[in-house]
Amino acid sequence: MKRYNSTLTKMTRRLGMAIAALLMLSTMASCSDQDSQAPATGDEAYLNLSFSTASTTTSRAGGAENIGNDETQANPNQESDIHNIKVWVFKSGTGGEAKPIAYKEDTPTAVDGSTVNSKYTLNLRLLRKINGEELKNIDLYILANSESTNMAKKLEGKDLRSITRAELQDVTFDNKFGITKEGKAETTEVPTEGLPISRAITNIEIADHVADTEIEAKNKGISIPLVRAVSKLHFYFARKTGEDAMTENVKVTRIEIDGKTFPKESYVFPDEEVYATAD
């Protein structure tokens, strides 16, 4: 995977300049923390982001298009539930040391006790200009259901609002989806926090998507399918027929797979994909 500051004002400057600098920093913080949903000013804009888990069969190992004639879709439907979502926004073209220009974390509101399934939309507010330069392209790192992994432990002590791109690229998880010493799966059912689902999309042109209000942004939305970070294996066996089959009394008692087939840990985010050509 690819590995990709702010300067302090001099203490000798006039008090008025220091106050102005503090006000500016306060404004930037309010734009990136996403806690406030006040109308955007001339220096800010909204983006409407629509995420989907595509289908209950989609994972990094393959998708619904790989289902055979006699195969069925993965169950249960909870595999595609979105319990919460985190979105990091980076300026396109920046390296691993870059920090987010915006960050938002959201928990969908359950309807009639049901979790949001498969699709979720949120509004994101960000600055139109970064260091005086108009923002034209952005990169998105999207993660749903992070609480179902030990990602937080791996990033202990780090502020998710200011985490670097490289730190996101490097973060891994190995629990609750690893293999025990006995060779059994740690998780055999969908956790209550859901399955980890993520994607990293780069070079999104935002000229046709940004708007001054949430309502206007809704009609200019960006749609991004997400991908499950874990997969299931199914094994199918059939008996041969005929006089020479010799399989009538054969029983499968155990399946062993080379230990190198499964990694001890997995990256939270897959490799970056360019928006224009992403599947």
Side-chain angles (χ1 to χ4, degrees):
M1 296 194 64
K2 299 178 181 178
R3 298 295 188 268
Y4 302 101
N5 64 38
S6 63
T7 59
L8 296 174
T9 56
K10 294 181 179 179
M11 297 300 293
T12 55
R13 289 185 179 179
R14 291 178 299 177
L15 179 61
M17 294 181 65
I19 294 175
L22 287 172
L23 288 174
M24 183 175 69
L25 287 171
S26 176
T27 301
M28 291 181 67
S30 67
C31 294
S32 62
D33 65 15
Q34 300 301 314
D35 290 334
S36 172
Q37 290 299 311
T41 69
D43 295 328
E44 303 166 354
Y46 280 100
L47 281 176
N48 183 276
L49 305 176
S50 178
F51 304 119
S52 64
T53 52
S55 77
T56 53
T57 58
T58 303
S59 72
R60 294 182 194 170
E65 70 277 7
N66 294 323
I67 297 178
N69 293 332
D70 298 323
E71 296 178 2
T72 58
Q73 289 192 337
N75 281 304
N77 289 332
Q78 287 88 342
E79 291 178 3
S80 56
D81 282 351
I82 298 176
H83 294 261
N84 60 73
I85 198 159
K86 295 178 175 65
V87 181
W88 291 265
V89 185
F90 295 92
K91 179 182 177 181
S92 293
T94 53
E97 74 286 350
K99 294 185 177 182
I101 58 174
Y103 169 82
K104 186 166 185 177
E105 180 175 347
D106 202 16
T107 300
T109 302
V111 179
D112 297 329
S114 299
T115 303
V116 174
N117 180 265
S118 300
K119 297 182 180 181
Y120 187 64
T121 300
L122 60 80
N123 284 292
L124 183 74
R125 192 174 64 183
L126 71 167
L127 291 173
R128 293 179 183 269
K129 293 184 178 181
I130 304 297
N131 296 327
E133 182 180 349
E134 184 178 355
L135 185 64
K136 296 181 179 180
N137 298 71
I138 61 172
D139 302 339
L140 295 178
Y141 274 65
I142 310 120
L143 173 61
N145 308 334
S146 63
E147 284 74 10
S148 65
T149 71
N150 60 341
M151 169 185 172
K153 184 177 181 179
K154 298 290 184 76
L155 295 175
E156 189 172 3
K158 296 185 182 295
D159 184 355
L160 294 183
R161 298 178 184 275
S162 60
I163 194 170
T164 67
R165 184 196 297 260
E167 287 172 323
L168 285 178
Q169 291 174 334
D170 290 342
V171 66
T172 60
F173 68 94
D174 52 17
N175 183 272
K176 311 169 180 173
F177 303 97
I179 304 297
T180 66
K181 294 181 179 180
E182 292 74 27
K184 297 181 179 180
E186 288 182 332
T187 297
T188 57
E189 296 181 354
V190 178
T192 56
E193 303 89 350
L195 296 179
I197 308 170
S198 62
R199 199 132 191 218
I201 300 292
T202 66
N203 205 32
I204 303 173
E205 295 184 21
I206 62 172
D208 295 332
H209 300 288
V210 292
D212 293 332
T213 66
E214 293 185 12
I215 296 177
E216 292 174 333
K218 188 175 181 179
N219 298 322
K220 302 179 179 181
I222 298 174
S223 181
I224 299 177
L226 305 181
V227 182
R228 289 205 312 267
V230 295
S231 301
K232 294 191 299 185
L233 283 179
H234 294 267
F235 296 90
Y236 299 88
F237 300 89
R239 298 183 185 279
K240 289 185 177 182
T241 60
E243 295 181 359
D244 299 326
M246 303 291 290
T247 60
E248 182 178 350
N249 297 318
V250 172
K251 294 182 179 179
V252 178
T253 60
R254 184 172 62 182
I255 299 174
E256 291 188 3
I257 300 176
D258 186 345
K260 296 180 180 179
T261 300
F262 298 104
K264 292 183 178 180
E265 57 185 7
S266 178
Y267 288 109
V268 171
F269 293 97
D271 290 337
E272 294 179 344
E273 301 174 78
V274 178
Y275 181 68
T277 57
D279 225 348

